[in-house]
Amino acid sequence: MDEQDRLAERFETRRTHLRAVAYRMLGSLSEADDAVQEAWLRLSRTDAGGIENLPAWLRTVVSRVCLDMLRARAARREEPVGQQPPEQDRDERGTDDGGDPEQEALLVDSVGRALLVVLDRLAPAERIAFVLHDTFAVPFEQIAPIVERTPATTKKLASRARQKVRGTAVDSTVDLARQRRMVDAFLAAARLGDLDALLTVLAPDVVRRAGRAALPPGVETTAIGARTVAEQTVVFGRRACFAEPALVNGSVGAVVAPRGRLLLVLTFTTEGERITGYEVIADPARLRLLELAVLGE
């Protein structure tokens, strides 16, 4: 085995970790794989004998590549959220970006859909600093050169990102816990298509409102009454498998995010232990105005 083969072998032992880092930074499996491959190309052109800490070197290279990709993405302002009409949900299984749908599904589940949605709203440098420090415990002194800031400023970047990720609740912890129970129950019933379970969590006079883009043609944007709402949820609720509770404008709601890409947001009104109303928001302009954050355990 020559030196290049040994180097390739050492790189392969780090590939899974580098992919995990890149995926959290980019939210796309195919782009994460591109970033990791670029790191290998740079390593193969480098005198590895001069690298004291290969894992740290590779993580730094991948992070810089991801930062460049995030900046380019922000400059292009591509892929605005909420643009996919329901009859064209081509990306719900992750088949349109060249990635492996099963692998991407596993990554999305391991990271969390709500977190991926919120990370996508961070500035590039904020996202890099938060992911490296809060997820992978990289010291700020090592992150600073990557984001081209001082360690003190890098710490502030991560802190600002952390505040955005966690959000601020408008209700007490008790209210949030109660709301979370109902939203969890609603989503679980919707995923299973369980009509009886939906009727249990919905108030008799519940009202469901939805943006036109969130519904198939010909379906009314407003539905009233538990049975009507429940029956329509069973029929049209297939996206529930891509849904996850999240903090929406300070209250418990849900994001629907195939492949971690925001498609819809659900907001709820509750009374006692019943959902009295919910709205499905699909309009891109409205989605951009929502304050989204990750719910604590």
Side-chain angles (χ1 to χ4, degrees):
M1 181 183 293
D2 62 21
E3 193 63 34
Q4 193 71 1
D5 288 337
R6 281 192 289 271
L7 187 62
E9 192 174 78
R10 291 177 67 192
F11 177 82
E12 287 303 320
T13 65
R14 304 300 302 171
R15 182 181 289 275
T16 299
H17 173 75
L18 294 172
R19 192 190 212 196
V21 172
Y23 183 73
R24 284 159 177 78
M25 291 177 175
L26 298 169
S28 163
L29 181 57
S30 62
E31 289 183 346
D33 284 338
D34 288 345
V36 172
Q37 186 62 24
E38 177 62 23
W40 162 247
L41 293 175
R42 295 187 187 187
L43 177 62
S44 66
R45 297 193 295 262
T46 301
D47 178 10
I51 301 174
E52 293 183 6
N53 186 334
L54 183 61
W57 188 92
L58 288 170
R59 186 181 59 222
T60 296
V61 171
V62 165
S63 298
R64 285 175 173 158
V65 171
C66 289
L67 180 59
D68 289 342
M69 294 171 75
L70 288 171
R71 285 170 172 167
R73 184 191 296 175
R76 290 193 303 269
R77 300 184 183 278
E78 64 184 10
E79 295 187 72
V81 296
Q83 293 287 12
Q84 308 95 321
E87 66 272 18
Q88 297 176 14
D89 286 339
R90 63 190 183 285
D91 69 337
E92 287 193 346
R93 292 172 297 174
T95 56
D96 69 337
D97 77 342
D100 182 327
E102 282 190 30
Q103 285 297 313
E104 185 124 23
L106 290 172
L107 280 169
V108 169
D109 288 341
S110 67
V111 177
R113 296 178 191 279
L115 178 57
L116 286 170
V117 167
V118 177
L119 287 176
D120 203 41
R121 293 182 163 213
L122 300 178
E126 289 178 341
R127 185 167 184 169
I128 298 296
F130 175 82
V131 168
L132 287 177
H133 183 267
D134 285 47
T135 305
F136 296 101
V138 180
F140 290 119
E141 289 75 13
Q142 295 180 25
I143 303 172
I146 298 171
V147 295
E148 301 170 329
R149 305 288 207 285
T150 66
T153 304
T154 303
K155 186 175 182 179
K156 290 179 181 177
L157 280 176
S159 177
R160 188 160 61 238
R162 196 176 304 117
Q163 289 174 358
K164 293 177 182 178
V165 169
R166 293 176 179 173
T168 303
V170 297
D171 294 316
S172 69
T173 304
V174 174
D175 284 336
L176 285 182
R178 179 179 59 81
Q179 293 171 9
R180 176 71 179 265
R181 285 197 304 273
M182 285 181 281
V183 172
D184 280 340
F186 173 84
L187 293 178
R191 291 185 191 105
L192 294 172
D194 189 333
L195 184 63
D196 290 337
L198 283 168
L199 290 172
T200 298
V201 75
L202 296 175
D205 56 351
V206 63
V207 178
R208 185 230 67 213
R209 294 181 173 84
R212 171 52 56 199
L215 297 170
V219 177
E220 292 293 329
T221 57
T222 300
I224 302 174
R227 181 158 292 276
T228 298
V229 172
E231 288 175 349
Q232 290 193 6
T233 300
V234 168
V235 174
F236 304 126
R238 63 192 178 91
R239 290 186 192 82
C241 64
F242 304 113
E244 184 176 292
L247 205 58
V248 181
N249 290 343
S251 297
V252 180
V255 294
V256 179
R259 294 190 299 131
R261 309 281 181 85
L262 185 61
L263 180 67
L264 306 168
V265 168
L266 278 66
T267 62
F268 296 86
T269 56
T270 62
E271 185 175 322
E273 294 296 322
R274 296 287 186 93
I275 293 171
T276 57
Y278 74 94
E279 182 178 9
V280 185
I281 301 170
D283 178 66
R286 289 192 64 194
L287 289 173
R288 282 192 291 270
L289 293 174
L290 295 173
E291 292 185 13
L292 304 178
V294 176
L295 270 170
E297 294 299 328

